[in-house]
Short mmCIF file of all heavy atoms in Angstrom, two decimals:
data_model
loop_
_atom_site.label_atom_id
_atom_site.label_comp_id
_atom_site.label_asym_id
_atom_site.label_seq_id
_atom_site.Cartn_x
_atom_site.Cartn_y
_atom_site.Cartn_z
N TYR A 220 -10.62 -18.70 4.81
CA TYR A 220 -9.83 -19.84 5.30
C TYR A 220 -8.54 -19.37 5.98
O TYR A 220 -8.15 -19.88 7.02
CB TYR A 220 -9.45 -20.76 4.14
CG TYR A 220 -10.52 -21.75 3.73
CD1 TYR A 220 -11.01 -21.77 2.44
CD2 TYR A 220 -11.00 -22.68 4.64
CE1 TYR A 220 -11.98 -22.69 2.06
CE2 TYR A 220 -11.96 -23.60 4.27
CZ TYR A 220 -12.46 -23.60 2.98
OH TYR A 220 -13.40 -24.52 2.61
N LYS A 222 -7.94 -16.49 7.32
CA LYS A 222 -8.25 -15.81 8.59
C LYS A 222 -8.49 -16.83 9.70
O LYS A 222 -8.12 -16.62 10.85
CB LYS A 222 -9.49 -14.93 8.42
CG LYS A 222 -9.24 -13.67 7.59
CD LYS A 222 -10.56 -13.03 7.16
CE LYS A 222 -10.32 -11.81 6.29
NZ LYS A 222 -11.58 -11.32 5.69
N ARG A 226 -6.65 -16.91 13.21
CA ARG A 226 -7.33 -16.93 14.52
C ARG A 226 -6.85 -18.09 15.37
O ARG A 226 -6.86 -18.02 16.59
CB ARG A 226 -8.85 -17.02 14.33
CG ARG A 226 -9.49 -15.67 14.08
CD ARG A 226 -10.96 -15.67 14.45
NE ARG A 226 -11.66 -16.81 13.90
CZ ARG A 226 -12.03 -16.92 12.64
NH1 ARG A 226 -11.78 -15.93 11.80
NH2 ARG A 226 -12.66 -17.98 12.21
N GLN A 368 -8.83 -15.46 -12.94
CA GLN A 368 -10.17 -15.70 -13.48
C GLN A 368 -10.69 -17.07 -13.09
O GLN A 368 -9.93 -17.97 -12.75
CB GLN A 368 -10.14 -15.55 -14.99
CG GLN A 368 -9.61 -14.18 -15.39
CD GLN A 368 -9.67 -13.96 -16.87
OE1 GLN A 368 -10.73 -14.00 -17.47
NE2 GLN A 368 -8.53 -13.72 -17.49
N GLY A 378 -6.14 -27.31 -22.83
CA GLY A 378 -5.34 -27.21 -24.01
C GLY A 378 -5.64 -26.20 -25.08
O GLY A 378 -5.31 -26.44 -26.22
N GLU A 410 3.62 -29.07 -35.59
CA GLU A 410 4.33 -27.83 -35.30
C GLU A 410 3.68 -27.07 -34.15
O GLU A 410 2.45 -26.91 -34.11
CB GLU A 410 4.27 -26.92 -36.53
CG GLU A 410 5.51 -26.94 -37.37
CD GLU A 410 5.21 -26.23 -38.67
OE1 GLU A 410 4.96 -25.01 -38.62
OE2 GLU A 410 5.20 -26.91 -39.71
N SER A 415 -0.75 -16.11 -28.44
CA SER A 415 -1.67 -15.02 -28.78
C SER A 415 -0.92 -13.77 -29.24
O SER A 415 -1.29 -13.15 -30.23
CB SER A 415 -2.61 -14.72 -27.62
OG SER A 415 -1.91 -14.54 -26.43
N TYR A 470 -14.20 -4.49 -33.52
CA TYR A 470 -13.40 -4.81 -34.70
C TYR A 470 -13.89 -6.06 -35.43
O TYR A 470 -13.30 -6.47 -36.43
CB TYR A 470 -11.93 -5.01 -34.28
CG TYR A 470 -11.34 -3.78 -33.63
CD1 TYR A 470 -11.45 -3.56 -32.26
CD2 TYR A 470 -10.72 -2.81 -34.42
CE1 TYR A 470 -10.96 -2.42 -31.68
CE2 TYR A 470 -10.21 -1.67 -33.85
CZ TYR A 470 -10.33 -1.47 -32.47
OH TYR A 470 -9.84 -0.33 -31.90
N HIS A 472 -15.91 -8.84 -37.63
CA HIS A 472 -16.73 -8.96 -38.85
C HIS A 472 -18.01 -9.70 -38.55
O HIS A 472 -19.04 -9.41 -39.14
CB HIS A 472 -15.93 -9.66 -39.95
CG HIS A 472 -14.69 -8.91 -40.33
ND1 HIS A 472 -13.50 -9.05 -39.65
CD2 HIS A 472 -14.48 -7.97 -41.29
CE1 HIS A 472 -12.59 -8.24 -40.18
NE2 HIS A 472 -13.16 -7.56 -41.17
N ILE A 474 -20.16 -10.90 -34.98
CA ILE A 474 -20.27 -11.03 -33.52
C ILE A 474 -21.32 -12.09 -33.22
O ILE A 474 -22.42 -12.05 -33.76
CB ILE A 474 -20.72 -9.70 -32.87
CG1 ILE A 474 -19.76 -8.56 -33.24
CG2 ILE A 474 -20.81 -9.85 -31.36
CD1 ILE A 474 -20.26 -7.19 -32.78
N TYR A 480 -23.00 -18.17 -17.85
CA TYR A 480 -22.85 -19.45 -17.14
C TYR A 480 -24.17 -20.00 -16.64
O TYR A 480 -24.26 -21.19 -16.34
CB TYR A 480 -21.85 -19.28 -15.99
CG TYR A 480 -22.42 -18.56 -14.78
CD1 TYR A 480 -22.55 -19.20 -13.55
CD2 TYR A 480 -22.86 -17.25 -14.87
CE1 TYR A 480 -23.09 -18.56 -12.45
CE2 TYR A 480 -23.41 -16.60 -13.79
CZ TYR A 480 -23.52 -17.25 -12.58
OH TYR A 480 -24.07 -16.61 -11.51
N GLN A 495 -15.80 -28.69 -11.06
CA GLN A 495 -17.15 -28.49 -10.53
C GLN A 495 -18.12 -28.11 -11.64
O GLN A 495 -17.77 -27.46 -12.60
CB GLN A 495 -17.12 -27.38 -9.48
CG GLN A 495 -16.15 -27.63 -8.35
CD GLN A 495 -16.37 -26.67 -7.21
OE1 GLN A 495 -17.02 -27.01 -6.24
NE2 GLN A 495 -15.85 -25.46 -7.33
N ARG A 496 -19.38 -28.48 -11.43
CA ARG A 496 -20.40 -28.27 -12.44
C ARG A 496 -20.93 -26.84 -12.44
O ARG A 496 -21.09 -26.22 -11.40
CB ARG A 496 -21.59 -29.21 -12.16
CG ARG A 496 -21.39 -30.65 -12.63
CD ARG A 496 -21.31 -30.77 -14.12
NE ARG A 496 -22.36 -30.03 -14.81
CZ ARG A 496 -23.59 -30.47 -14.99
NH1 ARG A 496 -23.96 -31.65 -14.56
NH2 ARG A 496 -24.49 -29.73 -15.63
N VAL A 504 -30.11 -16.88 -23.84
CA VAL A 504 -30.91 -15.75 -24.34
C VAL A 504 -30.93 -15.68 -25.86
O VAL A 504 -31.92 -15.27 -26.45
CB VAL A 504 -30.45 -14.36 -23.84
CG1 VAL A 504 -31.27 -13.88 -22.69
CG2 VAL A 504 -28.99 -14.34 -23.47
N GLU A 535 -15.41 -37.46 -23.59
CA GLU A 535 -14.32 -37.49 -24.57
C GLU A 535 -13.02 -36.97 -23.92
O GLU A 535 -11.94 -37.55 -24.12
CB GLU A 535 -14.70 -36.64 -25.79
CG GLU A 535 -13.69 -36.69 -26.92
CD GLU A 535 -14.16 -35.92 -28.17
OE1 GLU A 535 -15.34 -36.09 -28.55
OE2 GLU A 535 -13.36 -35.14 -28.73
N TYR A 548 -19.85 -36.39 -15.50
CA TYR A 548 -20.95 -35.63 -14.89
C TYR A 548 -21.68 -36.47 -13.86
O TYR A 548 -22.13 -35.98 -12.83
CB TYR A 548 -21.92 -35.13 -15.95
CG TYR A 548 -21.45 -33.90 -16.69
CD1 TYR A 548 -20.10 -33.60 -16.80
CD2 TYR A 548 -22.37 -33.02 -17.27
CE1 TYR A 548 -19.68 -32.47 -17.47
CE2 TYR A 548 -21.94 -31.89 -17.95
CZ TYR A 548 -20.60 -31.61 -18.05
OH TYR A 548 -20.20 -30.49 -18.71
N ARG A 611 -12.49 -5.75 -4.29
CA ARG A 611 -13.41 -6.85 -4.04
C ARG A 611 -14.70 -6.75 -4.85
O ARG A 611 -15.25 -7.74 -5.30
CB ARG A 611 -13.74 -6.89 -2.54
CG ARG A 611 -14.49 -8.10 -2.08
CD ARG A 611 -14.39 -8.22 -0.58
NE ARG A 611 -14.44 -6.91 0.03
CZ ARG A 611 -13.57 -6.46 0.92
NH1 ARG A 611 -12.62 -7.21 1.37
NH2 ARG A 611 -13.67 -5.25 1.41
N ARG A 622 -22.60 -3.97 -14.43
CA ARG A 622 -24.02 -4.11 -14.78
C ARG A 622 -24.85 -4.57 -13.59
O ARG A 622 -25.99 -5.00 -13.74
CB ARG A 622 -24.16 -5.03 -15.97
CG ARG A 622 -23.65 -4.35 -17.24
CD ARG A 622 -23.87 -5.19 -18.46
NE ARG A 622 -23.58 -4.43 -19.67
CZ ARG A 622 -22.39 -4.38 -20.27
NH1 ARG A 622 -21.37 -5.04 -19.76
NH2 ARG A 622 -22.22 -3.68 -21.36
N ASP B 347 -16.18 -13.00 13.30
CA ASP B 347 -15.30 -14.17 13.43
C ASP B 347 -14.94 -14.78 12.09
O ASP B 347 -13.86 -15.35 11.93
CB ASP B 347 -15.96 -15.25 14.29
CG ASP B 347 -16.27 -14.73 15.69
OD1 ASP B 347 -15.78 -13.64 16.02
OD2 ASP B 347 -17.00 -15.42 16.42
N VAL B 349 -15.88 -13.37 8.56
CA VAL B 349 -15.48 -12.36 7.58
C VAL B 349 -14.40 -11.45 8.17
O VAL B 349 -13.55 -10.93 7.46
CB VAL B 349 -16.69 -11.51 7.13
CG1 VAL B 349 -16.32 -10.58 5.99
CG2 VAL B 349 -17.86 -12.40 6.72
N THR B 413 -21.63 -23.08 -10.03
CA THR B 413 -20.34 -22.61 -9.53
C THR B 413 -20.17 -21.15 -9.94
O THR B 413 -20.45 -20.80 -11.08
CB THR B 413 -19.21 -23.47 -10.13
OG1 THR B 413 -19.46 -24.83 -9.83
CG2 THR B 413 -17.86 -23.08 -9.56
N GLY B 420 -13.97 -20.79 -6.92
CA GLY B 420 -14.91 -21.85 -7.26
C GLY B 420 -15.96 -22.10 -6.20
O GLY B 420 -16.28 -23.25 -5.88
N TYR B 423 -23.09 -22.22 -5.23
CA TYR B 423 -24.30 -21.62 -4.65
C TYR B 423 -25.50 -22.02 -5.50
O TYR B 423 -25.35 -22.70 -6.51
CB TYR B 423 -24.18 -20.09 -4.55
CG TYR B 423 -23.83 -19.35 -5.83
CD1 TYR B 423 -24.72 -19.28 -6.89
CD2 TYR B 423 -22.62 -18.67 -5.95
CE1 TYR B 423 -24.40 -18.58 -8.05
CE2 TYR B 423 -22.29 -17.96 -7.10
CZ TYR B 423 -23.20 -17.93 -8.14
OH TYR B 423 -22.88 -17.24 -9.28
N VAL B 443 -16.10 -26.13 -1.39
CA VAL B 443 -15.10 -25.08 -1.29
C VAL B 443 -15.49 -24.06 -0.22
O VAL B 443 -14.68 -23.68 0.61
CB VAL B 443 -14.94 -24.34 -2.64
CG1 VAL B 443 -14.03 -23.14 -2.49
CG2 VAL B 443 -14.41 -25.30 -3.69
N LYS B 451 -19.52 -10.40 -4.94
CA LYS B 451 -19.73 -10.71 -6.36
C LYS B 451 -20.54 -11.98 -6.54
O LYS B 451 -21.46 -12.04 -7.33
CB LYS B 451 -18.37 -10.87 -7.08
CG LYS B 451 -17.56 -9.59 -7.12
CD LYS B 451 -16.35 -9.72 -8.01
CE LYS B 451 -15.26 -10.63 -7.47
NZ LYS B 451 -14.63 -10.19 -6.21
N GLU B 463 -28.43 -5.06 -22.06
CA GLU B 463 -27.33 -4.87 -23.01
C GLU B 463 -26.75 -6.17 -23.54
O GLU B 463 -25.79 -6.14 -24.30
CB GLU B 463 -26.21 -4.06 -22.34
CG GLU B 463 -26.58 -2.61 -22.15
CD GLU B 463 -25.72 -1.94 -21.08
OE1 GLU B 463 -24.66 -2.47 -20.72
OE2 GLU B 463 -26.15 -0.90 -20.59
N ARG B 464 -27.31 -7.30 -23.13
CA ARG B 464 -26.82 -8.57 -23.67
C ARG B 464 -26.98 -8.59 -25.19
O ARG B 464 -27.94 -8.08 -25.74
CB ARG B 464 -27.65 -9.74 -23.08
CG ARG B 464 -27.31 -10.11 -21.65
CD ARG B 464 -26.03 -10.90 -21.53
NE ARG B 464 -26.03 -12.15 -22.28
CZ ARG B 464 -26.46 -13.32 -21.81
NH1 ARG B 464 -26.93 -13.39 -20.58
NH2 ARG B 464 -26.42 -14.41 -22.55
N ILE B 469 -24.47 -10.76 -35.26
CA ILE B 469 -24.34 -9.46 -35.94
C ILE B 469 -23.24 -9.58 -36.99
O ILE B 469 -22.17 -10.13 -36.72
CB ILE B 469 -23.99 -8.36 -34.91
CG1 ILE B 469 -25.19 -8.12 -34.00
CG2 ILE B 469 -23.58 -7.07 -35.61
CD1 ILE B 469 -24.86 -7.36 -32.75
N ARG B 471 -20.89 -7.51 -39.86
CA ARG B 471 -20.45 -6.18 -40.31
C ARG B 471 -20.66 -6.06 -41.82
O ARG B 471 -20.21 -6.90 -42.60
CB ARG B 471 -18.98 -5.96 -39.98
CG ARG B 471 -18.43 -4.69 -40.65
CD ARG B 471 -17.60 -3.83 -39.76
NE ARG B 471 -16.57 -4.58 -39.05
CZ ARG B 471 -15.26 -4.38 -39.22
NH1 ARG B 471 -14.81 -3.48 -40.04
NH2 ARG B 471 -14.38 -5.08 -38.54
N ALA B 503 -2.39 -19.08 -41.09
CA ALA B 503 -3.03 -17.76 -41.08
C ALA B 503 -4.30 -17.73 -40.24
O ALA B 503 -4.94 -16.69 -40.12
CB ALA B 503 -3.33 -17.33 -42.51
N ARG B 511 -12.41 -17.60 -18.91
CA ARG B 511 -13.76 -17.41 -18.40
C ARG B 511 -14.69 -18.53 -18.87
O ARG B 511 -15.76 -18.70 -18.34
CB ARG B 511 -14.33 -16.08 -18.90
CG ARG B 511 -13.37 -14.92 -18.90
CD ARG B 511 -13.47 -14.02 -17.70
NE ARG B 511 -14.84 -13.71 -17.36
CZ ARG B 511 -15.47 -14.24 -16.33
NH1 ARG B 511 -14.85 -15.09 -15.55
NH2 ARG B 511 -16.70 -13.89 -16.07
N CYS B 512 -14.29 -19.22 -19.95
CA CYS B 512 -15.18 -20.23 -20.54
C CYS B 512 -15.04 -21.57 -19.81
O CYS B 512 -14.08 -21.81 -19.10
CB CYS B 512 -14.83 -20.43 -22.01
SG CYS B 512 -15.16 -18.97 -23.00
N GLU B 515 -15.37 -27.57 -21.20
CA GLU B 515 -15.85 -28.19 -22.42
C GLU B 515 -15.66 -27.24 -23.60
O GLU B 515 -15.26 -27.64 -24.69
CB GLU B 515 -17.33 -28.57 -22.27
CG GLU B 515 -17.58 -29.72 -21.29
CD GLU B 515 -17.45 -29.31 -19.82
OE1 GLU B 515 -17.24 -28.12 -19.53
OE2 GLU B 515 -17.54 -30.20 -18.96
N TYR B 518 -11.97 -26.98 -24.49
CA TYR B 518 -11.57 -28.20 -25.19
C TYR B 518 -12.05 -28.16 -26.63
O TYR B 518 -11.29 -28.45 -27.57
CB TYR B 518 -12.15 -29.41 -24.46
CG TYR B 518 -11.98 -30.72 -25.20
CD1 TYR B 518 -10.78 -31.43 -25.13
CD2 TYR B 518 -13.01 -31.25 -25.96
CE1 TYR B 518 -10.62 -32.62 -25.82
CE2 TYR B 518 -12.86 -32.43 -26.65
CZ TYR B 518 -11.66 -33.12 -26.58
OH TYR B 518 -11.51 -34.30 -27.26
N ARG B 525 -7.47 -27.28 -34.12
CA ARG B 525 -6.54 -28.33 -34.55
C ARG B 525 -7.10 -29.22 -35.65
O ARG B 525 -6.37 -29.67 -36.53
CB ARG B 525 -6.13 -29.18 -33.34
CG ARG B 525 -5.36 -28.37 -32.29
CD ARG B 525 -4.98 -29.21 -31.09
NE ARG B 525 -4.96 -28.43 -29.86
CZ ARG B 525 -3.89 -27.79 -29.40
NH1 ARG B 525 -2.77 -27.80 -30.06
NH2 ARG B 525 -3.96 -27.11 -28.26
N ASN B 531 -1.92 -25.31 -34.74
CA ASN B 531 -1.99 -25.30 -33.28
C ASN B 531 -2.03 -23.85 -32.76
O ASN B 531 -1.61 -23.57 -31.64
CB ASN B 531 -0.79 -26.05 -32.69
CG ASN B 531 -0.91 -27.55 -32.92
OD1 ASN B 531 -1.93 -28.15 -32.62
ND2 ASN B 531 0.12 -28.15 -33.51
N ASP B 534 -4.71 -20.20 -28.21
CA ASP B 534 -4.10 -19.71 -26.97
C ASP B 534 -5.14 -18.97 -26.15
O ASP B 534 -6.18 -18.57 -26.66
CB ASP B 534 -2.94 -18.75 -27.32
CG ASP B 534 -1.94 -18.61 -26.18
OD1 ASP B 534 -2.15 -19.23 -25.12
OD2 ASP B 534 -0.95 -17.88 -26.36
#
Side-chain angles (χ1 to χ4, degrees):
Chain A
Y220 277 122
K222 287 165 182 171
R226 277 203 312 283
Q368 304 185 60
E410 260 169 66
S415 51
Y470 300 88
H472 299 86
I474 303 172
Y480 76 116
Q495 304 192 98
R496 281 294 313 278
V504 261
E535 185 175 315
Y548 281 25
R611 190 163 38 231
R622 288 184 170 91
Chain B
D347 300 349
V349 187
T413 305
Y423 54 68
V443 173
K451 295 189 290 297
E463 288 160 17
R464 284 283 301 271
I469 292 164
R471 170 135 49 116
R511 319 262 316 106
C512 294
E515 290 75 4
Y518 171 82
R525 296 179 212 270
N531 289 309
D534 201 359

